[in-house]
Amino acid sequence: LSASPPVVLLLLSLLGLAAAGKLLVVPVDGSHWLSMRELLDLLQQKGHEVVVVAPKVSLHIKPSKTIVMKTYPVPFTQEEMDKVFKGSIMDLFKGGPFLERVIRQYQQAKKTSALFLATCTHLIHNKELLSYLEESRFDAILTDPILPCGAIVAKYLSLPSIYFLQQIPCGLEYQATQCPNPPSYVPRVFTELTDHMTFLQRVKNMLYDIPNFFLCDVVFQPYAELASEFLEREVTVPDLLRQASIWLVKLDFVLHFPKPLMPNMVLISGVNCAYKKLSQ
């Protein structure tokens, strides 16, 4: 306020420019992209520059008139990708004993994780694309941390990270943020329990966590090895996820059981819903 009037006028004129930012987006394919795309449309309407980095072969991430997209080649065809994902979807509708379901999930996790890992590998080893990202000088990166490829890119470019997610397998979001996640209070996935449990239900809740450790090794350990090689220093997946500035969590405190949250974890809810009028 003590500055001269011309200086104050100049600063006020720059506020409009400062309101818009340059955002790099590294999405995850499938339903994760469908809700993120709606958010990107809103950001562009508000004047932000949004650039999406995606593989040439994908389920739903396709070029459009409203989205600036940089694509890169991957070592599989559209038919091969469709086959893997159709198998995973069909497996979700199969019943069976708990152990049998765990084994099936393990096998499907190996197939899908190998495909996504190949996608990430070809992204971070694409020197031409990385040079473009470095020269573009983005303000921040928006990514879905269910797969940490975007987190690796953010670490490499030293960009502030915004995470857009519902949840991460094995509760890695709790480990990365040091958020409490007690099995005596927070119900685990597939347990069909509530946040009010008897002693035996708490035991069941804790036991359901055990297979997650094996599933997480299959899915996430290769990313830790890939990141360590690429960044030329030893890192773990929680290390990569820990750099997030804010976690935009697609949950609703009304529709989900209460659980601990850290200050940078924000419930945004509603983004998974399609805004369409339903017929009778």
Side-chain angles (χ1 to χ4, degrees):
L1 292 177
S2 62
S4 61
V7 174
V8 174
L9 182 62
L10 176 63
L11 292 174
L12 290 174
S13 66
L14 292 175
L15 287 178
L17 296 176
K22 193 170 185 179
L23 185 67
L24 172 62
V25 181
V26 181
V28 173
D29 206 352
S31 60
H32 300 268
W33 164 250
L34 298 179
S35 55
M36 182 180 282
R37 184 180 61 187
E38 186 174 335
L39 173 64
L40 299 183
D41 290 339
L42 293 172
L43 289 173
Q44 287 184 318
Q45 291 173 18
K46 292 182 178 292
H48 299 286
E49 184 179 350
V50 179
V51 177
V52 178
V53 174
K56 289 185 177 180
V57 177
S58 65
L59 292 175
H60 300 299
I61 309 175
K62 307 298 181 184
S64 69
K65 295 180 180 179
T66 60
I67 295 176
V68 177
M69 188 170 292
K70 297 293 181 180
T71 59
Y72 57 93
V74 287
F76 49 83
T77 64
Q78 187 69 54
E79 290 74 18
E80 290 171 333
M81 181 179 219
D82 292 343
K83 182 179 179 181
V84 170
F85 277 93
K86 285 179 181 178
S88 299
I89 293 172
M90 293 301 295
D91 184 69
L92 292 175
F93 294 96
K94 293 181 181 179
F98 172 71
L99 183 59
E100 180 183 325
R101 283 186 291 159
V102 169
I103 294 173
R104 290 206 312 264
Q105 288 177 8
Y106 175 81
Q107 293 171 340
Q108 289 295 339
K110 286 181 65 176
K111 295 178 182 178
T112 54
S113 61
L115 189 144
F116 278 121
L117 182 65
T119 300
C120 185
T121 302
H122 281 71
L123 166 58
I124 65 175
H125 288 303
N126 191 313
K127 294 183 179 180
E128 182 180 349
L129 179 57
L130 286 182
S131 296
Y132 163 79
L133 297 180
E134 290 180 74
E135 295 168 1
S136 297
R137 299 185 179 277
F138 292 96
D139 296 309
I141 182 170
L142 174 68
T143 186
D144 189 325
I146 190 169
L147 293 176
C149 194
I152 297 174
V153 175
K155 194 82 169 177
Y156 176 75
L157 298 176
S158 299
L159 288 175
S161 304
I162 306 165
Y163 289 167
F164 185 77
L165 74 156
Q166 187 173 54
Q167 62 183 6
I168 306 178
C170 316
L172 286 181
E173 68 267 40
Y174 296 99
Q175 186 177 345
T177 58
Q178 296 184 318
C179 182
N181 187 31
S184 60
Y185 179 71
V186 181
R188 300 313 193 234
V189 178
F190 302 131
T191 59
E192 300 181 358
L193 298 174
T194 71
D195 56 314
H196 291 78
M197 292 176 270
T198 65
F199 173 76
L200 290 179
Q201 287 174 330
R202 291 175 184 176
V203 172
K204 174 185 176 182
N205 199 45
M206 188 169 62
L207 291 176
Y208 264 64
D209 251 357
I210 295 176
N212 287 335
F213 294 108
F214 302 102
L215 292 173
C216 280
D217 282 342
V218 172
V219 176
F220 292 111
Q221 185 56 33
Y223 285 94
E225 296 172 359
L226 179 64
S228 298
E229 177 189 353
F230 177 63
L231 300 172
E232 298 182 345
R233 61 181 182 273
E234 192 71 26
V235 294
T236 64
V237 171
D239 289 336
L240 294 170
L241 299 179
R242 202 167 286 130
Q243 65 187 321
S245 299
I246 188 167
W247 298 65
L248 300 178
V249 186
K250 297 181 288 182
L251 296 180
D252 192 307
F253 72 94
V254 174
L255 300 177
H256 296 82
F257 297 116
K259 59 183 179 181
L261 294 173
M262 299 304 279
N264 64 337
M265 301 172 78
V266 182
L267 301 182
I268 57 176
S269 76
V271 292
N272 292 311
C273 302
Y275 298 102
K276 295 181 180 179
K277 291 183 179 181
L278 300 179
S279 64
Q280 293 297 326

